[in-house]
Amino acid sequence: MNTPNKKVGRPRAYTPEALDAKFEEYVEWVKANPVYINKVSAGEIIAVPTQRPLTLVGFCQFAKISKDTFRRYEDEFCDLLTHVRVAIEADQLEGCLLYTSDAADEARSV
């Protein structure tokens, strides 16, 4: 006997609201946990905190989902996950532009 309302398969790990909250949590974690890069200053090596970039892989790891699961969720939560992808892309682009600008400033000061 097949009932049309019976769900088949594993339940989703996230609702759209929970996934959105997890992304916001990931963004806060990224801000609170910089990567330290060694730089030479006055002959000494110092560890300089540098903001991590947002990445899709990093978010998937943080949310404990695979990239395939993220792609499946994209079909269901299109607007939300488009926002996530755009936020990640903007962060990476801005980071690149900032890094390029910082590198150019350092080169001019030499």
Side-chain angles (χ1 to χ4, degrees):
M1 187 183 284
N2 230 354
T3 58
N5 293 335
K6 189 171 183 178
K7 294 186 178 189
V8 178
R10 187 186 314 184
R12 283 188 245 139
Y14 290 100
T15 63
E17 296 79 17
L19 197 58
D20 187 35
K22 196 62 156 179
F23 181 68
E24 294 304 322
E25 189 180 327
Y26 169 65
V27 171
E28 291 304 315
W29 181 86
V30 165
K31 289 179 184 177
N33 292 281
V35 175
Y36 288 86
I37 297 176
N38 291 332
K39 292 200 175 189
V40 178
S41 177
E44 290 187 38
I45 297 175
I46 56 171
V48 177
T50 305
Q51 185 174 335
R52 294 173 190 268
L54 298 176
T55 65
L56 181 57
V57 171
F59 174 59
C60 288
Q61 280 185 312
F62 190 82
K64 294 182 172 68
I65 60 173
S66 70
K67 285 174 40 180
D68 289 336
T69 298
F70 183 91
R71 281 192 283 279
R72 280 194 301 274
Y73 281 173
E74 279 184 304
D75 293 337
E76 297 179 58
F77 316 148
C78 184
D79 289 342
L80 169 65
L81 295 184
T82 296
H83 166 74
V84 167
R85 281 190 182 271
V86 167
I88 289 171
E89 186 178 333
D91 179 75
Q92 291 174 347
L93 180 59
E94 289 168 7
C96 252
L97 292 172
L98 181 62
Y99 176 76
T100 302
S101 176
D102 285 349
D105 290 345
E106 284 181 31
R108 280 193 291 270
S109 68
V110 174

